[in-house]
PDB file of all heavy atoms in Angstrom:
ATOM      1  N   PRO A 148     -24.591  -0.218 -29.375  1.00 96.00           N
ATOM      2  CA  PRO A 148     -23.164  -0.017 -29.661  1.00 96.00           C
ATOM      3  C   PRO A 148     -22.318  -0.459 -28.474  1.00 96.00           C
ATOM      4  O   PRO A 148     -22.584  -0.086 -27.340  1.00 96.00           O
ATOM      5  CB  PRO A 148     -23.069   1.498 -29.888  1.00 96.00           C
ATOM      6  CG  PRO A 148     -24.479   1.977 -30.065  1.00 96.00           C
ATOM      7  CD  PRO A 148     -25.315   1.059 -29.240  1.00 96.00           C
ATOM      8  N   TRP A 149     -21.349  -1.286 -28.736  1.00 97.00           N
ATOM      9  CA  TRP A 149     -20.371  -1.734 -27.737  1.00 97.00           C
ATOM     10  C   TRP A 149     -18.983  -1.304 -28.196  1.00 97.00           C
ATOM     11  O   TRP A 149     -18.725  -1.180 -29.406  1.00 97.00           O
ATOM     12  CB  TRP A 149     -20.361  -3.254 -27.618  1.00 97.00           C
ATOM     13  CG  TRP A 149     -21.501  -3.894 -26.891  1.00 97.00           C
ATOM     14  CD1 TRP A 149     -22.805  -3.500 -26.865  1.00 97.00           C
ATOM     15  CD2 TRP A 149     -21.429  -5.087 -26.105  1.00 97.00           C
ATOM     16  NE1 TRP A 149     -23.546  -4.367 -26.112  1.00 97.00           N
ATOM     17  CE2 TRP A 149     -22.735  -5.352 -25.633  1.00 97.00           C
ATOM     18  CE3 TRP A 149     -20.395  -5.955 -25.753  1.00 97.00           C
ATOM     19  CZ2 TRP A 149     -23.034  -6.460 -24.827  1.00 97.00           C
ATOM     20  CZ3 TRP A 149     -20.688  -7.045 -24.960  1.00 97.00           C
ATOM     21  CH2 TRP A 149     -21.996  -7.286 -24.488  1.00 97.00           C
ATOM     22  N   THR A 150     -18.079  -1.125 -27.257  1.00 95.00           N
ATOM     23  CA  THR A 150     -16.684  -1.061 -27.678  1.00 95.00           C
ATOM     24  C   THR A 150     -16.347  -2.399 -28.339  1.00 95.00           C
ATOM     25  O   THR A 150     -16.957  -3.428 -28.034  1.00 95.00           O
ATOM     26  CB  THR A 150     -15.747  -0.827 -26.483  1.00 95.00           C
ATOM     27  OG1 THR A 150     -15.887  -1.906 -25.573  1.00 95.00           O
ATOM     28  CG2 THR A 150     -16.045   0.479 -25.792  1.00 95.00           C
ATOM     29  N   ILE A 151     -15.380  -2.384 -29.190  1.00 96.00           N
ATOM     30  CA  ILE A 151     -15.060  -3.596 -29.940  1.00 96.00           C
ATOM     31  C   ILE A 151     -14.251  -4.581 -29.101  1.00 96.00           C
ATOM     32  O   ILE A 151     -13.973  -5.702 -29.545  1.00 96.00           O
ATOM     33  CB  ILE A 151     -14.302  -3.234 -31.238  1.00 96.00           C
ATOM     34  CG1 ILE A 151     -14.374  -4.387 -32.252  1.00 96.00           C
ATOM     35  CG2 ILE A 151     -12.875  -2.809 -30.938  1.00 96.00           C
ATOM     36  CD1 ILE A 151     -13.879  -4.018 -33.628  1.00 96.00           C
ATOM     37  N   GLY A 152     -13.953  -4.183 -27.862  1.00 94.00           N
ATOM     38  CA  GLY A 152     -13.085  -5.059 -27.060  1.00 94.00           C
ATOM     39  C   GLY A 152     -11.687  -4.981 -27.633  1.00 94.00           C
ATOM     40  O   GLY A 152     -11.002  -3.983 -27.473  1.00 94.00           O
ATOM     41  N   TYR A 153     -11.292  -6.032 -28.303  1.00 96.00           N
ATOM     42  CA  TYR A 153     -10.068  -5.973 -29.092  1.00 96.00           C
ATOM     43  C   TYR A 153     -10.224  -6.933 -30.256  1.00 96.00           C
ATOM     44  O   TYR A 153     -10.648  -8.076 -30.081  1.00 96.00           O
ATOM     45  CB  TYR A 153      -8.831  -6.352 -28.272  1.00 96.00           C
ATOM     46  CG  TYR A 153      -7.553  -6.252 -29.082  1.00 96.00           C
ATOM     47  CD1 TYR A 153      -6.983  -5.013 -29.353  1.00 96.00           C
ATOM     48  CD2 TYR A 153      -6.959  -7.383 -29.621  1.00 96.00           C
ATOM     49  CE1 TYR A 153      -5.835  -4.909 -30.116  1.00 96.00           C
ATOM     50  CE2 TYR A 153      -5.800  -7.291 -30.376  1.00 96.00           C
ATOM     51  CZ  TYR A 153      -5.245  -6.050 -30.634  1.00 96.00           C
ATOM     52  OH  TYR A 153      -4.113  -5.940 -31.402  1.00 96.00           O
ATOM     53  N   ASP A 154      -9.909  -6.454 -31.443  1.00 96.00           N
ATOM     54  CA  ASP A 154      -9.943  -7.277 -32.652  1.00 96.00           C
ATOM     55  C   ASP A 154      -8.610  -7.068 -33.359  1.00 96.00           C
ATOM     56  O   ASP A 154      -8.288  -5.942 -33.769  1.00 96.00           O
ATOM     57  CB  ASP A 154     -11.113  -6.867 -33.545  1.00 96.00           C
ATOM     58  CG  ASP A 154     -11.364  -7.848 -34.685  1.00 96.00           C
ATOM     59  OD1 ASP A 154     -10.378  -8.268 -35.329  1.00 96.00           O
ATOM     60  OD2 ASP A 154     -12.539  -8.184 -34.939  1.00 96.00           O
ATOM     61  N   GLU A 155      -7.844  -8.158 -33.481  1.00 95.00           N
ATOM     62  CA  GLU A 155      -6.493  -8.047 -34.033  1.00 95.00           C
ATOM     63  C   GLU A 155      -6.475  -7.525 -35.460  1.00 95.00           C
ATOM     64  O   GLU A 155      -5.448  -7.036 -35.947  1.00 95.00           O
ATOM     65  CB  GLU A 155      -5.772  -9.406 -33.959  1.00 95.00           C
ATOM     66  CG  GLU A 155      -6.376 -10.513 -34.793  1.00 95.00           C
ATOM     67  CD  GLU A 155      -7.558 -11.218 -34.132  1.00 95.00           C
ATOM     68  OE1 GLU A 155      -7.970 -10.779 -33.028  1.00 95.00           O
ATOM     69  OE2 GLU A 155      -8.061 -12.201 -34.716  1.00 95.00           O
ATOM     70  N   ARG A 156      -7.620  -7.602 -36.161  1.00 96.00           N
ATOM     71  CA  ARG A 156      -7.673  -7.100 -37.542  1.00 96.00           C
ATOM     72  C   ARG A 156      -7.576  -5.579 -37.592  1.00 96.00           C
ATOM     73  O   ARG A 156      -7.165  -5.016 -38.621  1.00 96.00           O
ATOM     74  CB  ARG A 156      -8.971  -7.538 -38.215  1.00 96.00           C
ATOM     75  CG  ARG A 156      -9.133  -9.043 -38.375  1.00 96.00           C
ATOM     76  CD  ARG A 156     -10.515  -9.391 -38.902  1.00 96.00           C
ATOM     77  NE  ARG A 156     -11.569  -8.990 -37.974  1.00 96.00           N
ATOM     78  CZ  ARG A 156     -12.878  -9.100 -38.256  1.00 96.00           C
ATOM     79  NH1 ARG A 156     -13.266  -9.567 -39.442  1.00 96.00           N
ATOM     80  NH2 ARG A 156     -13.767  -8.727 -37.354  1.00 96.00           N
ATOM     81  N   PHE A 157      -7.956  -4.910 -36.499  1.00 95.00           N
ATOM     82  CA  PHE A 157      -8.073  -3.449 -36.545  1.00 95.00           C
ATOM     83  C   PHE A 157      -7.172  -2.731 -35.544  1.00 95.00           C
ATOM     84  O   PHE A 157      -6.931  -1.536 -35.683  1.00 95.00           O
ATOM     85  CB  PHE A 157      -9.531  -3.033 -36.297  1.00 95.00           C
ATOM     86  CG  PHE A 157     -10.513  -3.745 -37.182  1.00 95.00           C
ATOM     87  CD1 PHE A 157     -11.391  -4.680 -36.658  1.00 95.00           C
ATOM     88  CD2 PHE A 157     -10.544  -3.512 -38.546  1.00 95.00           C
ATOM     89  CE1 PHE A 157     -12.295  -5.347 -37.470  1.00 95.00           C
ATOM     90  CE2 PHE A 157     -11.437  -4.180 -39.370  1.00 95.00           C
ATOM     91  CZ  PHE A 157     -12.319  -5.102 -38.836  1.00 95.00           C
ATOM     92  N   GLY A 158      -6.695  -3.442 -34.522  1.00 94.00           N
ATOM     93  CA  GLY A 158      -5.766  -2.841 -33.580  1.00 94.00           C
ATOM     94  C   GLY A 158      -6.392  -1.768 -32.711  1.00 94.00           C
ATOM     95  O   GLY A 158      -7.602  -1.728 -32.497  1.00 94.00           O
ATOM     96  N   SER A 159      -5.536  -0.852 -32.220  1.00 94.00           N
ATOM     97  CA  SER A 159      -5.956   0.145 -31.234  1.00 94.00           C
ATOM     98  C   SER A 159      -5.763   1.583 -31.695  1.00 94.00           C
ATOM     99  O   SER A 159      -6.007   2.508 -30.925  1.00 94.00           O
ATOM    100  CB  SER A 159      -5.159  -0.058 -29.928  1.00 94.00           C
ATOM    101  OG  SER A 159      -5.301  -1.361 -29.439  1.00 94.00           O
ATOM    102  N   ASP A 160      -5.340   1.797 -32.925  1.00 93.00           N
ATOM    103  CA  ASP A 160      -5.028   3.160 -33.361  1.00 93.00           C
ATOM    104  C   ASP A 160      -6.256   3.953 -33.772  1.00 93.00           C
ATOM    105  O   ASP A 160      -6.216   5.184 -33.816  1.00 93.00           O
ATOM    106  CB  ASP A 160      -4.028   3.129 -34.525  1.00 93.00           C
ATOM    107  CG  ASP A 160      -2.662   2.624 -34.084  1.00 93.00           C
ATOM    108  OD1 ASP A 160      -2.317   2.851 -32.910  1.00 93.00           O
ATOM    109  OD2 ASP A 160      -1.963   2.000 -34.903  1.00 93.00           O
ATOM    110  N   VAL A 161      -7.350   3.256 -34.102  1.00 94.00           N
ATOM    111  CA  VAL A 161      -8.586   3.919 -34.522  1.00 94.00           C
ATOM    112  C   VAL A 161      -9.677   3.564 -33.529  1.00 94.00           C
ATOM    113  O   VAL A 161      -9.824   2.396 -33.142  1.00 94.00           O
ATOM    114  CB  VAL A 161      -8.994   3.473 -35.948  1.00 94.00           C
ATOM    115  CG1 VAL A 161     -10.306   4.153 -36.353  1.00 94.00           C
ATOM    116  CG2 VAL A 161      -7.892   3.811 -36.944  1.00 94.00           C
ATOM    117  N   ARG A 162     -10.447   4.555 -33.115  1.00 95.00           N
ATOM    118  CA  ARG A 162     -11.500   4.342 -32.119  1.00 95.00           C
ATOM    119  C   ARG A 162     -12.704   3.693 -32.776  1.00 95.00           C
ATOM    120  O   ARG A 162     -13.332   4.270 -33.669  1.00 95.00           O
ATOM    121  CB  ARG A 162     -11.879   5.686 -31.494  1.00 95.00           C
ATOM    122  CG  ARG A 162     -12.682   5.599 -30.225  1.00 95.00           C
ATOM    123  CD  ARG A 162     -12.599   6.929 -29.492  1.00 95.00           C
ATOM    124  NE  ARG A 162     -13.466   6.958 -28.336  1.00 95.00           N
ATOM    125  CZ  ARG A 162     -14.411   7.859 -28.132  1.00 95.00           C
ATOM    126  NH1 ARG A 162     -14.623   8.801 -29.037  1.00 95.00           N
ATOM    127  NH2 ARG A 162     -15.145   7.827 -27.042  1.00 95.00           N
ATOM    128  N   LEU A 163     -13.041   2.478 -32.304  1.00 97.00           N
ATOM    129  CA  LEU A 163     -14.058   1.669 -32.964  1.00 97.00           C
ATOM    130  C   LEU A 163     -15.166   1.261 -32.003  1.00 97.00           C
ATOM    131  O   LEU A 163     -14.975   1.211 -30.788  1.00 97.00           O
ATOM    132  CB  LEU A 163     -13.416   0.396 -33.547  1.00 97.00           C
ATOM    133  CG  LEU A 163     -12.279   0.575 -34.547  1.00 97.00           C
ATOM    134  CD1 LEU A 163     -11.687  -0.775 -34.904  1.00 97.00           C
ATOM    135  CD2 LEU A 163     -12.785   1.288 -35.806  1.00 97.00           C
ATOM    136  N   GLN A 164     -16.322   0.958 -32.590  1.00 97.00           N
ATOM    137  CA  GLN A 164     -17.420   0.321 -31.868  1.00 97.00           C
ATOM    138  C   GLN A 164     -17.958  -0.823 -32.722  1.00 97.00           C
ATOM    139  O   GLN A 164     -17.873  -0.780 -33.952  1.00 97.00           O
ATOM    140  CB  GLN A 164     -18.550   1.316 -31.602  1.00 97.00           C
ATOM    141  CG  GLN A 164     -18.192   2.460 -30.688  1.00 97.00           C
ATOM    142  CD  GLN A 164     -19.318   3.461 -30.580  1.00 97.00           C
ATOM    143  OE1 GLN A 164     -20.380   3.158 -30.061  1.00 97.00           O
ATOM    144  NE2 GLN A 164     -19.092   4.659 -31.088  1.00 97.00           N
TER     145      GLN A 164
END
Side-chain angles (χ1 to χ4, degrees):
W149 285 35
T150 61
I151 199 169
Y153 182 76
D154 191 315
E155 64 278 4
R156 297 173 297 175
F157 308 111
S159 304
D160 292 330
V161 179
R162 195 162 174 237
L163 302 174
Q164 295 175 66

